Amino acid sequence: MEAGHLPALAAIERACFRAPWSEQALREELGKGIFLVAERAGAAVGYVGCQTVLDEGYITNVAVLPAARRQGVARALLRALTEQAARQELAFVTLEVRASNAPAIALYEGAGFRPAGVRRRFYTQPTEDAVLMTLWLGQEERGCVPLE
């Protein structure tokens, strides 16, 4: 993600979310974590944002323009994100998703994420639980915890 992407990403946010991030909020994420943009014919059609803390990744948003959905854009973004997270030696990547959002849950499960818990009343407009989903990238996924 670069500064030149910000107006288009703010428009994607408005098209996808009830409480979209502003262009300024997106600007504040520049250079932090892993933020990737999907482009088609030079125009942004989606993006994924992941804040990183030490060896942990927290996906903030996965957004794809409605006209570009069901074309593999989100799947490609998640694949690129998890590949970059693995190169950065993150232990895991995690996210929240509305409990009623079956298509998104299926997308994340297809990318290897597994349910890890529930955050009660996490979302508003309307109030709804979030399913916490995590993808382990290190030895922990095999039941091994490295001791140093």
Side-chain angles (χ1 to χ4, degrees):
M1 177 173 80
E2 299 171 355
H5 291 120
L6 298 178
L9 299 187
I12 291 170
E13 281 279 319
R14 289 189 300 274
C16 294
F17 300 114
R18 291 181 182 103
W21 284 25
S22 67
E23 187 172 331
Q24 181 57 37
L26 290 163
R27 182 176 313 284
E28 291 171 7
E29 298 302 315
L30 285 173
K32 298 179 184 176
I34 304 168
F35 285 78
L36 305 173
V37 177
E39 293 182 332
R40 184 170 286 146
V45 295
Y47 86 101
V48 62
C50 180
Q51 296 174 343
T52 57
V53 179
L54 301 173
D55 66 345
E56 304 170 356
Y58 297 91
I59 293 178
T60 55
N61 290 333
V62 178
V64 176
L65 282 173
R69 291 182 185 159
R70 304 200 56 79
Q71 299 172 27
V73 175
R75 191 170 36 254
L77 284 165
L78 287 171
R79 183 175 44 252
L81 172 77
T82 56
E83 288 170 359
Q84 189 163 338
R87 282 193 302 277
Q88 291 183 15
E89 298 182 355
L90 297 186
F92 65 85
V93 177
T94 194
L95 57 85
E96 293 97 0
V97 59
R98 281 186 182 270
S100 65
N101 193 343
I105 291 170
L107 169 73
Y108 301 136
E109 287 178 336
F113 287 78
R114 297 294 171 253
V118 174
R119 296 193 195 278
R120 300 275 178 227
R121 304 174 60 80
F122 182 80
Y123 289 104
T124 60
Q125 302 177 2
T127 300
E128 186 174 354
D129 293 348
V131 177
L132 181 64
M133 299 187 76
T134 301
L135 171 66
W136 287 95
L137 300 169
Q139 293 178 331
E140 290 85 354
E141 71 182 329
R142 296 186 306 273
C144 301
V145 178
L147 300 175
E148 300 178 315

